[in-house]
Amino acid sequence: MGIAIGAGIAVSIAGLGGGVGMGIAGGKAFEAIARQPEIGGDVRTLLFITFAFIETLTIYGLLIAFMLVGKI
Amino acid sequence: MGIAIGAGIAVSIAGLGGGVGMGIAGGKAFEAIARQPEIGGDVRTLLFITFAFIETLTIYGLLIAFMLVGKI
Amino acid sequence: MGIAIGAGIAVSIAGLGGGVGMGIAGGKAFEAIARQPEIGGDVRTLLFITFAFIETLTIYGLLIAFMLVGKI
Amino acid sequence: MGIAIGAGIAVSIAGLGGGVGMGIAGGKAFEAIARQPEIGGDVRTLLFITFAFIETLTIYGLLIAFMLVGKI
Amino acid sequence: MGIAIGAGIAVSIAGLGGGVGMGIAGGKAFEAIARQPEIGGDVRTLLFITFAFIETLTIYGLLIAFMLVGKI
Amino acid sequence: MGIAIGAGIAVSIAGLGGGVGMGIAGGKAFEAIARQPEIGGDVRTLLFITFAFIETLTIYGLLIAFMLVGKI
Amino acid sequence: MGIAIGAGIAVSIAGLGGGVGMGIAGGKAFEAIARQPEIGGDVRTLLFITFAFIETLTIYGLLIAFMLVGKI
Amino acid sequence: MGIAIGAGIAVSIAGLGGGVGMGIAGGKAFEAIARQPEIGGDVRTLLFITFAFIETLTIYGLLIAFMLVGKI
Amino acid sequence: MGIAIGAGIAVSIAGLGGGVGMGIAGGKAFEAIARQPEIGGDVRTLLFITFAFIETLTIYGLLIAFMLVGKI
Amino acid sequence: MGIAIGAGIAVSIAGLGGGVGMGIAGGKAFEAIARQPEIGGDVRTLLFITFAFIETLTIYGLLIAFMLVGKI
Amino acid sequence: MGIAIGAGIAVSIAGLGGGVGMGIAGGKAFEAIARQPEIGGDVRTLLFITFAFIETLTIYGLLIAFMLVGKI
Amino acid sequence: MGIAIGAGIAVSIAGLGGGVGMGIAGGKAFEAIARQPEIGGDVRTLLFITFAFIETLTIYGLLIAFMLVGKI
Amino acid sequence: MGIAIGAGIAVSIAGLGGGVGMGIAGGKAFEAIARQPEIGGDVRTLLFITFAFIETLTIYGLLIAFMLVGKI
Amino acid sequence: MGIAIGAGIAVSIAGLGGGVGMGIAGGKAFEAIARQPEIGGDVRTLLFITFAFIETLTIYGLLIAFMLVGKI
């Protein structure tokens, strides 16, 4: 039983931070492009890398959650 | 029993962060378009990608929640 | 019993973030329209898409809540 | 017993976010109208749509709460 | 017993958000009127509609609370 | 026992939000009057209506609390 | 036992919000008077009314607390 | 036992909000006096009234705490 | 046992708010003196009164804590 | 057992607020001195008094903690 | 059982802070590039190093989570 | 058992506030020195005194923690 | 069992603060470099030292977590 | 068991505050250097002292955690 709660915590709490963080980063990227449209490509590449790094934080949680679900 | 609470946590807490994050990103996008209307297409594409990345964070939680619900 | 609490958590916590996020996005849209009335149509379309994406986050929770309620 | 707590959580936590979100959106709408009175009709329509979307988030919780209350 | 706690949660947590939200919306309305006194009537109508929408969020909770109190 | 805790929650948590909300609305009203003293009457009327609406949110909680106290 | 905790919650949580709200309203009143000393009387009257409304929120909690204490 | 926790909550949580609120109000009063030294007397009177109102919120909690302590 | 936790809560939570509130009030006082050095005496008197009022909030908690400790 | 937790709460939660409050007050004092170096002595005296008042809030908690530790 | 909750906490809470932190750092990087496009390479290198350091904080948690999962 | 948790709380929660407070005070000191480099010595002395006062708040907690650990 | 939760807390809560702190420090570093590109080397060195100090805070937690895991 | 949780709390909660505090102090230091590069050495020395003081807060927690771990 506690395993399911552990899996739920593992997969969602990092996602909470990740969702807010991606929103902040994405929002700042729009501002940056609006101020200097010619750096659009540069910002887009960096934004994807930022998203990828934040995504990994949740993937770790997903990994642990899968392992925990397999043990119920 | 604990499994249901785990499923509820898994599907909703990441969604909490995602909802706030999407709101921040979307709001900044409107600002950016209002300041530089001609970059509207560029911002729209980036906004969808941002939403897609944030959406995946909740999809992971939905996945774990489905797996947990199947075990009750 | 725990199932009902799980269902309550699943349907409402994502809605908490969604409500705040929609409020932020909607408020920024009014600002953007007030600054540049001629982009009203563009902002309105984007706002609906933003609302739709945020709505899906809560729909996932509603889905899990329905499945949990069906098991009480 | 836990069912009643689940119903209480389902109907009220989304309403917490919705109340704050509506307040933010409504407040920004007044600002926008004060800055550009002639866009009053446009903002009013968008504001109602924003309220409707936020309202749905709580309606989902109300739905689950009704279903849970029916099972006590 | 748990039913009473559920009823207390249902009627008050949405009211928490509603009270803060109404305060924010009302405060912004005063600002808007102070900046453009001639739009007073327009803002007043919108403010009442905003209050009515926020009020409904708490009414839902009151409804569930009544139903729960009737089952103690 | 749990009934008393439910009554305490019902009457006080909405009051928490209401107290903060009234403080924000009242404070903004003073600012508005200081900026445009001639709209004092208009703001005062709106402020009372705002207070009345916020008050109702707590009255609902008081109602539920009375009903719960009567059942101990 | 739980009755005492319920009474403690009822009398103090609304007071928490009320204390912060009164502080915000009072502080804004000083600002308003410093900007326009001649509206001092008008602001003072409104401030007392604001305090009275916030005070009632705590009085409700005090009422419930008295009723609960009488049942221990 | 629970009675002591109830008494502790009753006397301290309102004091938490009161301490923060008094600090905000007091700090704003210093600002107001620094901007307009000649209104010092007016602000001092209002500040004491603000403190007195906030103080009453904690006094209510103290009252309930005394009544609870007398029942251990 | 619960009595000790009640005493700990009574003496420290109000102190938490008091510490933050005193810090805010004190910090604003330094700002006010830096802007208008000649009102230093006036501010110092008011600051002490502010501290005294905030102090009383914690003293109430200390009082209840002493009474509770005497009952272990 | 609960006594130790009570002692831990008593000595540390007020210290949490005190630490933040001292940091805010100290930081503002540096700002004030940087803006008006000649009032350095005046600010330093007031800062020590502020620290002394905040310190007392924690001393009360320490006192209760000592009394509680003596009873384990 | 508690082991699974421990693993869930270990892998996700650091990820929560990391997601928000990466979002803040990434967002500031876009701003910096928008203000001075010619330092893009310098900022990109530093951003990756920042991400790597934040990533390690979650890796530690992942490590402990793996060790805990292996003991269920 | 509870004694260890009490010791952990005693030594760390005040440290949480102290860490944030020292960071705020230290950061403001750098700002002050950057604005008026010639007051560096004055600020440094005050900063050390601020740190010493904040440090004492944690030392109290450490003291109680030592006393509690000695009783396990 | 409790040991695993203790290990999870030890390794992740400090990491939460560290992730946010590194994000703030890193973000400010980009701003500083964008304003004065020629101090890039100086800032980079200081940034690494800041990261190293923050990293140690989590290493302590990792150390305790390892010791706890070895005792399950 | 509770001992492990106590050790986890002791070593990590102070580290949470320390991580955020170091991030704030470090970030402000970069700003200060960017505004006045010639005070770099002065700021660097003060920054290390700030970090050292914050570090001690966590060291106290580490100390208690070691003592607690030795008693499992």
Side-chain angles (χ1 to χ4, degrees):
Chain A
M1 307 320 171
I3 294 183
I5 296 183
I9 290 173
V11 82
S12 68
I13 292 185
L16 163 60
V20 175
M22 282 186 187
I24 294 172
K28 287 276 182 188
F30 301 146
E31 255 186 46
I33 294 176
R35 207 179 302 165
Q36 291 242 353
E38 70 270 20
I39 61 161
D42 204 14
V43 163
R44 199 174 312 125
T45 315
L46 263 183
L47 188 66
F48 287 179
I49 291 166
T50 303
F51 282 177
F53 267 95
I54 296 178
E55 198 79 26
T56 58
L57 299 179
T58 315
I59 299 283
Y60 296 158
L62 185 65
L63 193 75
I64 296 296
F66 271 126
M67 289 170 66
L68 288 173
V69 167
K71 297 208 185 221
I72 296 178
Chain B
M1 307 319 172
I3 293 183
I5 296 183
I9 289 173
V11 82
S12 68
I13 292 185
L16 163 60
V20 175
M22 282 186 187
I24 294 172
K28 287 275 182 189
F30 301 146
E31 255 186 47
I33 293 175
R35 207 180 301 165
Q36 291 242 353
E38 70 270 20
I39 61 161
D42 205 15
V43 163
R44 199 174 313 125
T45 315
L46 263 183
L47 187 65
F48 286 178
I49 291 166
T50 303
F51 282 177
F53 268 95
I54 296 179
E55 198 79 26
T56 58
L57 298 179
T58 315
I59 300 283
Y60 296 158
L62 185 65
L63 193 76
I64 296 296
F66 271 126
M67 290 170 65
L68 288 173
V69 167
K71 297 207 185 222
I72 296 178
Chain C
M1 307 318 172
I3 293 183
I5 296 182
I9 289 173
V11 82
S12 68
I13 291 185
L16 163 60
V20 175
M22 282 186 187
I24 294 172
K28 287 276 182 187
F30 300 146
E31 256 186 47
I33 294 176
R35 207 180 301 165
Q36 291 242 355
E38 70 270 20
I39 61 161
D42 205 14
V43 163
R44 199 175 312 126
T45 315
L46 264 183
L47 188 65
F48 287 179
I49 291 165
T50 303
F51 282 178
F53 268 95
I54 296 178
E55 199 79 26
T56 59
L57 299 179
T58 315
I59 300 283
Y60 297 157
L62 184 65
L63 193 76
I64 297 295
F66 270 127
M67 290 171 64
L68 289 173
V69 167
K71 297 208 184 221
I72 297 178
Chain D
M1 307 318 173
I3 293 183
I5 296 183
I9 289 173
V11 82
S12 68
I13 291 185
L16 164 59
V20 175
M22 282 185 186
I24 294 172
K28 287 276 181 187
F30 301 146
E31 256 186 46
I33 294 176
R35 207 180 302 165
Q36 291 242 354
E38 70 270 21
I39 61 161
D42 205 14
V43 163
R44 200 175 312 127
T45 314
L46 264 183
L47 188 65
F48 287 0
I49 291 166
T50 303
F51 282 178
F53 268 95
I54 297 179
E55 199 79 27
T56 59
L57 299 179
T58 315
I59 300 284
Y60 297 156
L62 185 64
L63 192 76
I64 297 295
F66 270 127
M67 289 170 66
L68 288 173
V69 167
K71 298 209 183 220
I72 297 178
Chain E
M1 308 317 174
I3 293 182
I5 296 183
I9 288 172
V11 81
S12 68
I13 291 184
L16 164 59
V20 175
M22 282 185 186
I24 293 172
K28 287 276 182 187
F30 300 146
E31 256 186 47
I33 294 175
R35 207 180 301 166
Q36 291 242 354
E38 71 269 21
I39 61 161
D42 205 15
V43 163
R44 200 176 312 126
T45 314
L46 264 182
L47 188 65
F48 287 179
I49 291 166
T50 303
F51 283 177
F53 269 94
I54 296 179
E55 199 78 27
T56 59
L57 299 180
T58 315
I59 300 283
Y60 297 156
L62 184 64
L63 192 76
I64 296 296
F66 270 126
M67 289 170 66
L68 289 173
V69 167
K71 297 209 183 220
I72 297 178
Chain F
M1 308 316 174
I3 293 183
I5 295 182
I9 288 172
V11 81
S12 69
I13 290 184
L16 164 58
V20 175
M22 282 185 186
I24 293 172
K28 288 275 182 188
F30 300 146
E31 256 186 47
I33 295 176
R35 207 180 302 166
Q36 290 242 353
E38 71 269 22
I39 60 161
D42 205 15
V43 163
R44 200 174 312 126
T45 314
L46 263 182
L47 189 64
F48 287 178
I49 291 166
T50 302
F51 282 177
F53 268 94
I54 296 179
E55 199 78 28
T56 59
L57 298 180
T58 314
I59 300 283
Y60 297 157
L62 185 64
L63 193 75
I64 296 295
F66 270 126
M67 289 171 65
L68 288 173
V69 167
K71 297 208 183 220
I72 298 178
Chain G
M1 307 316 172
I3 294 183
I5 296 182
I9 288 172
V11 82
S12 68
I13 290 184
L16 164 59
V20 175
M22 282 185 187
I24 293 172
K28 287 275 181 188
F30 301 146
E31 256 186 46
I33 294 176
R35 207 179 303 166
Q36 290 242 353
E38 71 269 22
I39 61 161
D42 205 15
V43 163
R44 200 175 311 126
T45 314
L46 264 182
L47 188 65
F48 287 178
I49 292 166
T50 303
F51 282 177
F53 268 94
I54 296 179
E55 199 78 28
T56 59
L57 299 180
T58 314
I59 300 282
Y60 296 157
L62 185 64
L63 193 75
I64 297 296
F66 270 126
M67 289 170 66
L68 288 173
V69 167
K71 298 210 182 218
I72 298 177
Chain H
M1 307 317 172
I3 294 184
I5 295 182
I9 288 172
V11 82
S12 68
I13 290 184
L16 164 60
V20 174
M22 282 186 186
I24 293 172
K28 288 275 181 188
F30 300 146
E31 256 186 46
I33 294 176
R35 207 179 302 166
Q36 290 241 354
E38 71 270 22
I39 62 162
D42 205 14
V43 163
R44 199 175 312 127
T45 315
L46 263 182
L47 188 65
F48 286 178
I49 292 166
T50 303
F51 283 177
F53 268 94
I54 296 179
E55 199 78 27
T56 58
L57 299 180
T58 314
I59 300 283
Y60 296 157
L62 185 63
L63 193 76
I64 296 296
F66 270 126
M67 289 171 66
L68 288 173
V69 167
K71 298 209 182 220
I72 297 177
Chain I
M1 307 318 171
I3 294 184
I5 295 182
I9 288 172
V11 82
S12 68
I13 290 183
L16 164 59
V20 174
M22 282 186 187
I24 293 172
K28 288 276 182 188
F30 301 147
E31 255 186 47
I33 295 176
R35 207 180 302 167
Q36 290 241 353
E38 71 270 21
I39 61 162
D42 206 14
V43 164
R44 199 174 313 126
T45 315
L46 264 182
L47 188 66
F48 287 178
I49 292 166
T50 302
F51 283 177
F53 268 94
I54 296 179
E55 199 78 27
T56 58
L57 299 180
T58 314
I59 300 282
Y60 295 157
L62 185 64
L63 193 76
I64 297 295
F66 270 127
M67 289 171 66
L68 288 173
V69 167
K71 298 210 182 218
I72 297 178
Chain J
M1 308 319 170
I3 294 184
I5 295 182
I9 288 172
V11 82
S12 68
I13 290 184
L16 164 60
V20 175
M22 282 185 186
I24 294 172
K28 288 276 183 188
F30 301 146
E31 256 186 46
I33 294 176
R35 207 180 303 167
Q36 290 241 354
E38 71 270 21
I39 61 162
D42 205 14
V43 164
R44 199 174 313 127
T45 315
L46 264 182
L47 188 66
F48 287 179
I49 292 166
T50 303
F51 283 177
F53 268 94
I54 297 179
E55 199 79 27
T56 58
L57 299 180
T58 315
I59 300 283
Y60 296 157
L62 185 64
L63 193 76
I64 297 296
F66 270 127
M67 289 170 65
L68 288 174
V69 167
K71 298 210 182 219
I72 297 178
Chain K
M1 307 322 169
I3 293 183
I5 297 182
I9 290 173
V11 82
S12 69
I13 292 184
L16 163 59
V20 175
M22 282 186 187
I24 295 173
K28 287 275 182 188
F30 301 146
E31 256 186 45
I33 293 176
R35 207 180 301 166
Q36 291 241 354
E38 70 270 20
I39 62 161
D42 205 14
V43 163
R44 199 175 311 127
T45 314
L46 263 182
L47 188 65
F48 288 179
I49 291 165
T50 303
F51 282 177
F53 268 94
I54 296 178
E55 198 79 26
T56 58
L57 298 179
T58 314
I59 299 282
Y60 296 157
L62 184 65
L63 193 76
I64 297 296
F66 271 126
M67 289 170 66
L68 288 173
V69 167
K71 297 206 184 223
I72 297 177
Chain L
M1 308 319 170
I3 294 184
I5 295 181
I9 289 172
V11 82
S12 68
I13 291 183
L16 163 60
V20 174
M22 282 185 186
I24 294 172
K28 287 276 182 189
F30 301 146
E31 256 186 46
I33 294 176
R35 207 179 303 167
Q36 290 241 354
E38 70 271 19
I39 61 162
D42 206 14
V43 163
R44 199 174 313 126
T45 314
L46 264 182
L47 187 65
F48 287 179
I49 292 166
T50 303
F51 282 177
F53 268 95
I54 296 178
E55 198 79 26
T56 58
L57 298 179
T58 315
I59 299 283
Y60 296 157
L62 185 64
L63 193 76
I64 297 296
F66 270 127
M67 290 170 65
L68 288 173
V69 167
K71 298 209 183 221
I72 297 178
Chain M
M1 307 321 170
I3 293 183
I5 296 181
I9 290 172
V11 82
S12 69
I13 292 184
L16 163 60
V20 175
M22 282 186 187
I24 295 172
K28 287 275 182 188
F30 300 146
E31 256 186 46
I33 293 175
R35 207 180 302 167
Q36 291 241 354
E38 70 270 20
I39 62 161
D42 205 14
V43 163
R44 200 175 311 128
T45 315
L46 264 182
L47 188 65
F48 287 178
I49 291 165
T50 303
F51 282 177
F53 268 95
I54 296 178
E55 198 79 27
T56 58
L57 299 179
T58 314
I59 299 283
Y60 296 157
L62 185 65
L63 193 76
I64 297 296
F66 271 127
M67 290 170 65
L68 288 174
V69 167
K71 297 207 184 222
I72 296 177
Chain N
M1 307 321 169
I3 294 184
I5 296 182
I9 290 172
V11 82
S12 68
I13 291 183
L16 164 60
V20 175
M22 282 185 186
I24 294 172
K28 288 275 182 188
F30 300 147
E31 256 186 45
I33 294 176
R35 207 179 302 167
Q36 291 241 354
E38 70 271 19
I39 62 162
D42 205 14
V43 163
R44 199 174 311 126
T45 314
L46 263 182
L47 188 65
F48 287 178
I49 292 165
T50 303
F51 282 177
F53 268 95
I54 296 178
E55 197 79 26
T56 58
L57 299 180
T58 314
I59 299 283
Y60 296 157
L62 185 65
L63 193 76
I64 297 296
F66 270 127
M67 290 169 65
L68 288 173
V69 168
K71 297 207 184 221
I72 297 178

